Amino acid sequence: SKELLSPFFISEKTLSKPFAKGLSIVNGKDTRSFCFTGHYGKVMHKSSGSLFLETTEEAAATKENINSCENGRSVRRNIVNSIEKNPIDKQNMLQYKDKLRLFTPKEVLNILGFPKEYRLPSLDEMRMSHQYKAVGNSVSVFVCSKLLVLLFFGDEELNNDTHYAHSNLVDFQEKLNMKFETVLSTMT
């Protein structure tokens, strides 16, 4: 699985730069990250998006997790502690060679809440930099879903999580269409 992820690992040259100590680093237990912009992976500095630190426990599960998600979240159950709660030693960033990597475009989509069956074009059809630009310029499906519910149905429906389950997406879309038609008819 290292071969599959090799294009995503941060180079020794980058890790040896003074700014490397300021990079945002997360693992599978963290719940916060820096945003993923269209330039993710292209420009490296402390605000260029979080990097993923693979620990030994995570490495064993990585191959399965690259393409898997539950409700838009990457499935990583083996990790003991978050970096947010137990900060890592950033004095010698070279110790993270072959452990620190970019999130894959698919992992970014998972974090943003895209359905697990959603796929980007292959690397033969779309360069990696363009894949990052596409996902980095995207929006969070979770946030948009909540905003649409709030806009069309009000506060009472906001905590009803059935709207956000991908299996109920067709029902939710039908409810939104009916509500939208009602709103449009009152405007004419």
Side-chain angles (χ1 to χ4, degrees):
S1 164
K2 282 270 194 205
E3 291 174 24
L4 187 62
L5 293 171
S6 64
F8 303 100
F9 281 99
I10 306 305
S11 73
E12 187 173 339
K13 179 181 176 184
T14 300
L15 291 174
S16 65
K17 300 280 186 185
F19 68 80
K21 294 176 185 175
L23 295 171
S24 169
I25 299 172
V26 298
N27 70 13
K29 283 289 190 182
D30 284 299
T31 57
R32 295 179 187 183
S33 71
F34 278 34
C35 65
F36 299 99
T37 68
H39 288 286
Y40 183 68
K42 188 175 184 180
V43 178
M44 284 288 190
H45 55 74
K46 66 180 183 177
S47 302
S48 58
S50 295
L51 301 174
F52 187 77
L53 179 63
E54 272 193 10
T55 63
T56 308
E57 299 89 21
E58 290 166 324
T62 297
K63 184 177 179 186
E64 171 190 335
N65 292 324
I66 287 174
N67 293 315
S68 71
C69 68
E70 289 178 5
N71 293 332
R73 299 180 194 274
S74 292
V75 181
R76 296 188 187 277
R77 295 188 176 92
N78 300 346
I79 302 97
V80 179
N81 295 308
S82 72
I83 292 174
E84 184 178 25
K85 290 181 183 172
N86 294 324
I88 61 170
D89 173 21
K90 290 188 172 183
Q91 293 310 305
N92 176 16
M93 290 300 288
L94 291 174
Q95 68 182 313
Y96 303 115
K97 184 178 180 290
D98 296 329
K99 295 177 185 170
L100 190 61
R101 64 175 176 84
L102 296 166
F103 281 85
T104 66
K106 179 60 179 162
E107 287 170 328
V108 175
L109 289 174
N110 290 348
I111 291 168
L112 292 174
F114 280 75
K116 68 180 177 182
E117 50 284 334
Y118 184 84
R119 298 281 183 256
L120 289 166
S122 71
L123 288 174
D124 293 334
E125 301 167 308
M126 179 185 258
R127 290 190 337 227
M128 184 74 66
S129 61
H130 291 173
Q131 288 186 6
Y132 279 123
K133 186 164 263 323
V135 301
N137 289 333
S138 186
V139 294
S140 169
V141 174
F142 296 121
V143 172
C144 288
S145 297
K146 293 248 185 198
L147 289 173
L148 285 171
V149 169
L150 184 61
L151 178 68
F152 287 112
F153 302 108
D155 289 342
E156 69 278 358
E157 289 289 320
L158 196 56
N159 293 323
N160 184 354
D161 284 338
T162 60
H163 297 302
Y164 318 113
H166 297 302
S167 60
N168 296 330
L169 203 53
V170 173
D171 294 338
F172 178 54
Q173 188 174 2
E174 287 176 12
K175 278 178 86 173
L176 272 178
N177 286 341
M178 290 185 342
K179 187 68 172 182
F180 190 63
E181 288 173 12
T182 303
V183 169
L184 283 179
S185 68
T186 62
M187 296 173 77
T188 55

